[in-house]
Amino acid sequence: VESWLPADVREMLGAAAYRSGRMWAILGLGTVLAIVGLIDDRRNLPWLPRLLVQGLVAVLLVTVADVRATVFLPWPWTGTVVSAVWVIALVNAFNFLDNMDGLSSGIALIAASLFAVVMLTGTGEPRWLVAGALLVLAGSLAGFLIFHNRPPARIFMGDSGSYFLGMMLASLTILGTFYEPGEAPRHAILAPLCVLAVPLYDFASVMVIRLSQGRSPFHPDKSHFSHRLVALGMRPSRAVLTIYLATLTTGLGALLLYRLDDWTGALLVIALIACVVAMVAILETAGRRRDENR
């Protein structure tokens, strides 16, 4: 950076250069996951090697690219563990979501758009780099969804696309929602959990169902929320739309977290989101019972 530039401009450019380096690291590691997903799409890899690669990528992301969350605990390693688990969880959550036309790409579009709004309006100062990356991701998803992936889909995302999506959203949410005094209340770090409450519930419930039945947690089946809605009589396109609306509802609640200064209002928003997830659980359970009784 040239020395004749004003100090504040030099500081901004230095921060941008540092963050752009992390962004390239995120894109590089995301490409690694996309390649693994592509190989899996073609060769049907066992779940253990895929999970090991995901774990390695998550560790590199946290330790080398320094993408880690703030968790307000006295032990520094907790942020590293939470961040790595968050990355692995989202990579697999979006992979699990890719079970109906337009579902995974549509949920990712909603999440990326909401996070971009937060980065531009919800923090003390706009986080332009993270918001720009989210908007590029949202624009790519919108084009893919409209022209290729909406029902009936002409192109499927597959493991390659869903792995990359999960990686990008996990990384960008960590980068964009870390806590800085005076810029956002502490409860704002819960925003990613709120926006992605429905996909995370689907991921967790499917894992529990498969493990309780003594099956591999990564073996494809019809235990997903979308399949349960179809079992209740919905057309697949309506089931996908229902999940869109549920995700949008929890996401709009997350936007409020950045505008509430106390925990009382934040707890009300969290209670609202918990009610939405509870309704999803009721519908999922009803669909499962009806499917089992057929």
Side-chain angles (χ1 to χ4, degrees):
V1 179
E2 297 293 339
S3 59
W4 52 267
L5 290 173
D8 56 343
V9 175
R10 292 201 305 268
E11 182 180 355
M12 182 178 66
L13 291 176
Y18 172 69
R19 289 186 177 274
S20 64
R22 288 203 294 190
M23 195 63 67
W24 282 113
I26 292 170
L27 289 172
L29 292 171
T31 301
V32 171
L33 281 184
I35 293 172
V36 172
L38 182 61
I39 296 173
D40 183 43
D41 288 330
R42 296 179 63 87
R43 299 294 179 88
N44 194 21
L45 297 174
W47 66 269
L48 184 56
R50 288 181 286 149
L51 189 60
L52 289 175
V53 173
Q54 293 169 15
L56 177 61
V57 167
V59 170
L60 290 175
L61 181 72
V62 175
T63 56
V64 177
D66 194 29
V67 178
R68 68 186 72 204
T70 302
V71 293
F72 305 114
L73 292 175
W75 309 286
W77 57 267
T78 54
T80 300
V81 173
V82 169
S83 300
V85 170
W86 176 251
V87 172
I88 296 172
L90 280 197
V91 166
N92 286 287
F94 278 94
N95 184 34
F96 279 26
L97 272 180
D98 191 28
N99 57 74
M100 284 191 178
D101 295 347
L103 182 54
S104 187
S105 56
I107 296 298
L109 172 59
I110 293 171
S113 301
L114 289 172
F115 285 131
V117 171
V118 168
M119 293 301 97
L120 293 173
T121 65
T123 57
E125 294 183 2
R127 305 191 188 279
W128 295 108
L129 186 61
V130 177
L134 286 165
L135 289 174
V136 169
L137 184 63
S140 303
L141 286 166
F144 176 68
L145 178 63
I146 293 172
F147 295 107
H148 302 292
N149 197 231
R150 63 187 175 91
R154 295 189 298 169
I155 299 177
F156 299 98
M157 183 176 296
D159 290 353
S160 180
S162 60
Y163 283 0
F164 183 81
L165 270 185
M167 169 76 174
M168 289 300 297
L169 284 174
S171 303
L172 293 172
T173 52
I174 292 173
L175 286 181
T177 55
F178 64 87
Y179 174 74
E180 287 187 4
E183 291 195 9
R186 283 194 172 193
H187 51 252
I189 66 170
L190 299 176
L193 286 173
C194 296
V195 173
L196 298 168
V198 175
L200 289 173
Y201 166 80
D202 181 69
F203 171 66
S205 64
V206 169
M207 293 281 284
V208 170
I209 291 171
R210 292 173 180 173
L211 288 173
S212 65
Q213 295 176 351
R215 296 185 288 115
S216 167
F218 296 96
H219 183 72
D221 60 15
K222 293 190 175 182
S223 300
H224 298 277
F225 179 47
S226 55
H227 295 130
R228 303 308 185 189
L229 291 177
V230 172
L232 289 173
M234 289 189 183
R235 297 199 303 271
S237 58
R238 294 296 179 89
V240 169
L241 179 59
T242 300
I243 301 174
Y244 284 176
L245 293 175
T247 302
L248 185 59
T249 301
T250 61
L252 292 175
L255 294 181
L256 295 176
L257 289 178
Y258 283 87
R259 291 167 173 79
L260 298 172
D261 296 327
D262 55 23
W263 275 98
T264 302
L267 289 174
L268 288 175
V269 171
I270 294 171
L272 171 66
I273 292 169
C275 289
V276 174
V277 174
M279 287 189 288
V280 169
I282 291 171
L283 290 172
E284 190 270 339
T285 303
R288 182 174 14 146
R289 289 177 178 174
R290 181 166 183 175
D291 195 37
E292 291 173 350
N293 291 332
R294 285 183 175 180

